[in-house]
Amino acid sequence: MRIFTKQTVLEFWHVLIIIFPLTLIIPRMIMPLLEALSLSVASLLATLLIDIVIVGLAVFIFLPALNKLTSKYFS
């Protein structure tokens, strides 16, 4: 069984392309909500909320859209 197939490498790049910008943008966008809830950005609950938003956006919105877009050009 090969680990580095064309499909797995493409999936790796898809996830990296989506997750990296979200990790830069989402925490800044959620700061006002965390402040309203009196949560420190460094707290575990705040980190969990940020992670839930990032993973939810990636899995349900951005990755399916990116897969559709790239499947048209690379299949």
Side-chain angles (χ1 to χ4, degrees), residues 20-41:
F20 179 68
L22 289 176
T23 60
L24 299 175
I25 296 167
I26 297 301
R28 290 187 182 109
M29 292 178 67
I30 294 184
M31 286 256 200
L33 173 64
L34 297 176
E35 290 171 359
L37 295 173
S38 299
L39 288 173
S40 167
V41 178

Side-chain angles (χ1 to χ4, degrees), residues 28-71:
R28 290 187 182 109
M29 292 178 67
I30 294 184
M31 286 256 200
L33 173 64
L34 297 176
E35 290 171 359
L37 295 173
S38 299
L39 288 173
S40 167
V41 178
S43 73
L44 291 176
L45 184 57
T47 303
L48 177 64
L49 289 173
I50 291 169
D51 289 346
I52 288 170
V53 172
I54 290 172
V55 171
L57 288 170
V59 169
F60 296 114
I61 297 173
F62 293 116
L63 282 171
L66 184 60
N67 284 332
K68 277 185 180 179
L69 180 67
T70 57
S71 69

